[in-house]
Amino acid sequence: MDELDSAILAELQTDARQTNRELARRLGVAPSTALERVRALERRDVIRGYHADVSLAALHRGVQAMISVQVRPLHRQVIDSFQDFVATLPEVLSIFVLAGNDDFLLHVAVQDLDRLHAFLVDRLAKRKEVTGFKTSVIYRHTHSTAISALKSIET
Amino acid sequence: MDELDSAILAELQTDARQTNRELARRLGVAPSTALERVRALERRDVIRGYHADVSLAALHRGVQAMISVQVRPLHRQVIDSFQDFVATLPEVLSIFVLAGNDDFLLHVAVQDLDRLHAFLVDRLAKRKEVTGFKTSVIYRHTHSTAISALKSIET
DNA sequence: ATTGAAATCCACTTGTA
DNA sequence: TACAAGTGGATTTCAAT
């Protein structure tokens, strides 16, 4: 992981479909060098995959929400099986397992508020291990486009 | 947006770097057809971009947290300027603007708990508009790999 | 809108240092 | 490890349906 690797990651996070020649040109190295570096990053699982970013509105999922969930008892088996359950629900984009008061945070996207309500009542509330949840509608959501390595500052 | 478009989106969300020929083969259409569809989806901003998924651990960001933040007064100018501020911070992966008790939810990734503490104390707490925040460390985070269109069920 | 074919461009391998 | 050149294969354009 040197500066060239970091630069490659920054480029591919921004645009994963640029050609290897384009990538090499931007980095100022030979295409074969860039290709070998990218392959190595893939092999080491530094790059885990390449994904298209698709508009939620285009998929009829204009309404997003964050749902914090408490489950009881807090046993591994309960936690894992609840996580497996929510992972199968098409409304769920992302699952966070948390420390603190809330045990899970679910990022969901649905067509409208009626569907959100239906999701909460028909899916979540039906689970016996769910002892409480709180829903916050999301007005906006933004991503950082390129995540770079944080410097280790020795003091 | 027909079934072919949906299938293309599912494929490219799963693997954005597969070749156009491979994509066409899976869909059972000619490569030129697949290419034209993809271009159209890009033009209509259904596909917003293609991004490499990079391991946070490899970037020395093994510790993730969710931070719920309250800001006051709740004026547009305050909300927007706070959002602009946090968007510049390298620790911040994602920003949610919420309805309800909390105004913002920040998904952050840092090297260790010391850096998390430093972020909270040196960055967040210094802002005058921030009247409170609550931090939850993230044990696990999983994504749904392919987000598909939710059916509109007419009743 | 979809296709097949032609032309251009690129990925990937090999050879070299 | 990096590079340059060559080959096979892919992308892209275009005329036709």
Side-chain angles (χ1 to χ4, degrees):
Chain A
M1 275 293 299
D2 57 6
E3 280 177 25
L4 184 55
D5 285 331
S6 296
I8 288 173
L9 294 178
E11 280 297 332
L12 292 181
Q13 281 182 88
T14 306
D15 179 8
R17 290 207 81 166
Q18 60 186 298
T19 66
N20 183 61
R21 294 177 95 87
E22 175 71 9
L23 179 65
R25 197 188 57 72
R26 287 182 198 235
L27 302 172
V29 297
S32 46
T33 304
L35 191 63
E36 167 53 29
R37 290 292 195 122
V38 171
R39 293 289 180 258
L41 289 167
E42 287 170 351
R43 251 180 280 120
R44 287 155 51 204
D45 260 320
V46 176
I47 296 176
R48 288 167 149 172
Y50 305 94
H51 305 287
D53 176 19
V54 176
S55 156
L56 288 172
L59 298 175
H60 309 294
R61 289 170 173 244
V63 173
Q64 295 177 59
M66 273 293 181
I67 309 167
S68 61
V69 183
Q70 293 187 359
V71 299
R72 289 291 116 82
L74 267 189
H75 295 163
R76 172 176 291 278
Q77 193 240 324
V78 173
I79 293 167
D80 288 352
S81 77
F82 179 74
Q83 183 175 353
D84 290 346
F85 165 67
V86 289
T88 66
L89 302 175
E91 293 88 351
V92 175
L93 305 181
S94 190
I95 304 167
F96 300 88
V97 185
L98 297 185
N101 284 333
D102 300 315
D103 305 311
F104 285 88
L105 200 59
L106 307 180
H107 182 197
V108 303
V110 294
Q111 190 166 14
D112 49 42
L113 287 176
D114 273 353
R115 311 295 165 113
L116 178 59
H117 193 220
F119 174 81
L120 296 169
V121 173
D122 298 333
R123 302 288 179 191
L124 264 199
K126 291 237 169 121
R127 300 286 296 193
K128 289 197 205 64
E129 71 268 43
V130 172
T131 57
F133 55 87
K134 251 174 33 190
T135 304
S136 300
V137 169
I138 296 169
Y139 290 135
R140 303 184 208 152
H141 179 204
T142 62
H143 279 280
S144 95
T145 43
I147 304 157
S148 53
L150 288 185
K151 291 257 164 53
S152 319
I153 304 159
E154 344 280 81
T155 46
Chain B
M1 275 294 299
D2 56 6
E3 280 177 26
L4 184 54
D5 285 329
S6 295
I8 288 173
L9 294 178
E11 281 296 332
L12 293 181
Q13 281 181 92
T14 304
D15 179 8
R17 291 206 82 168
Q18 61 186 297
T19 66
N20 184 59
R21 292 178 96 86
E22 175 71 10
L23 179 64
R25 197 188 57 73
R26 288 181 198 236
L27 302 172
V29 297
S32 45
T33 304
L35 190 63
E36 167 53 29
R37 289 294 194 121
V38 171
R39 294 288 180 258
L41 289 167
E42 288 169 350
R43 250 181 281 119
R44 287 154 51 202
D45 259 320
V46 176
I47 295 176
R48 287 167 150 172
Y50 305 94
H51 306 287
D53 176 18
V54 176
S55 156
L56 288 173
L59 298 175
H60 306 108
R61 288 170 174 245
V63 174
Q64 295 178 59
M66 273 293 182
I67 308 167
S68 61
V69 183
Q70 293 188 0
V71 299
R72 289 292 118 80
L74 267 188
H75 295 163
R76 173 177 290 279
Q77 193 240 321
V78 173
I79 293 166
D80 289 351
S81 77
F82 179 74
Q83 183 175 354
D84 291 345
F85 165 68
V86 289
T88 67
L89 302 175
E91 293 88 351
V92 175
L93 304 181
S94 190
I95 304 167
F96 300 88
V97 185
L98 298 184
N101 284 334
D102 300 315
D103 305 311
F104 285 88
L105 201 58
L106 307 180
H107 182 197
V108 302
V110 293
Q111 190 166 15
D112 49 42
L113 288 175
D114 273 353
R115 311 296 167 111
L116 179 60
H117 193 219
F119 174 81
L120 296 169
V121 174
D122 298 334
R123 302 286 179 196
L124 264 200
K126 290 236 169 122
R127 298 285 295 192
K128 287 199 207 64
E129 70 269 41
V130 172
T131 57
F133 56 86
K134 249 174 35 191
T135 304
S136 300
V137 169
I138 297 168
Y139 290 135
R140 303 185 208 151
H141 180 205
T142 61
H143 280 281
S144 95
T145 42
I147 305 157
S148 54
L150 288 184
K151 292 258 161 56
S152 319
I153 304 158
E154 346 279 78
T155 46

